[in-house]
Amino acid sequence: MAGSRWRAKGVIDNLSIQQKMVTVKVNVETTQNGFCALIDLLPGCVVSVKGNILKLKKEVQSSIDFYIECAKKDKEKYPKVFDGDYTLRYSPNNIRTALNLYKGLVSLSALSQISGINQRQLSHYLNGTSNPRKEQEEKIICGMRELGKELQMV
């Protein structure tokens, strides 16, 4: 009986921790050679990288750490959310950026099968040679989310 109370308490403690974690939005845009990110809670903090999403994530975290370190050192104000647990949510500003973020991880062929949109058309969206209609955009986003759900089951 005591063991089951302990486990239940552990689950409740984990839920409390998860509820306290704050999500910080990072706006992402495609550049000519990589990505540019703007961190909502840190005005003026812009990160630009040549490379992929993994490099962007590493540089964003490094930039946040540096920003906070400097603010503390200079006794300047900064969002206190960065003193605790937080997660970063990368939010692409458009469908081209969303496709570019994950192009090394998800093939256009796979995304075509999941979204029902022709692979060649997805390529046009990825390269910026055409822009999808709103309903096409929604199909792509739904397809990406479905793929994410499937991968979480593994």
Side-chain angles (χ1 to χ4, degrees):
M1 185 75 103
S4 62
R5 276 192 233 144
W6 180 82
R7 277 190 223 114
K9 184 180 181 323
V11 169
I12 291 169
D13 289 345
N14 285 339
L15 289 174
S16 297
I17 289 169
Q18 289 174 350
Q19 289 172 349
K20 291 178 186 175
M21 190 171 293
V22 177
T23 300
V24 176
K25 185 177 178 186
V26 179
N27 295 300
V28 181
E29 183 68 52
T30 300
T31 65
Q32 189 173 359
N33 296 315
F35 299 98
C36 179
L38 293 98
I39 303 155
D40 269 6
L41 293 179
L42 301 176
C45 186
V46 178
V47 179
S48 185
V49 298
K50 181 178 182 179
N52 61 23
I53 182 70
L54 300 175
K55 187 170 183 183
L56 178 69
K57 286 181 176 183
K58 180 181 174 187
E59 291 301 319
V60 165
Q61 187 61 61
S62 177
S63 295
I64 290 171
D65 295 343
F66 182 70
Y67 185 102
I68 300 307
E69 180 185 319
C70 291
K72 285 179 179 179
K73 191 176 184 179
D74 297 339
K75 295 184 169 76
E76 292 182 7
K77 290 182 181 179
Y78 64 91
K80 295 301 179 192
V81 78
F82 294 109
D83 286 337
D85 291 330
Y86 64 91
T87 61
L88 299 174
R89 182 173 56 90
Y90 292 85
S91 180
N93 287 343
N94 54 50
I95 204 67
R96 179 178 179 219
T97 299
L99 291 170
N100 271 296
L101 278 173
Y102 302 106
K103 75 177 178 185
L105 303 172
V106 179
S107 71
L108 290 181
S109 174
L111 189 54
S112 175
Q113 289 178 350
I114 291 171
S115 68
I117 297 173
N118 181 291
Q119 186 175 341
R120 189 174 194 178
Q121 190 61 47
L122 289 171
S123 179
H124 290 302
Y125 300 153
L126 174 71
N127 296 321
T129 54
S130 69
N131 295 314
R133 294 184 319 270
K134 190 70 178 164
E135 71 179 39
Q136 295 293 84
E137 223 175 87
E138 288 174 14
K139 282 183 179 180
I140 295 167
I141 291 168
C142 286
M144 291 176 129
R145 287 183 179 148
E146 279 301 312
L147 180 60
K149 286 178 190 174
E150 289 292 323
L151 291 173
Q152 284 181 337
M153 291 181 183
V154 176

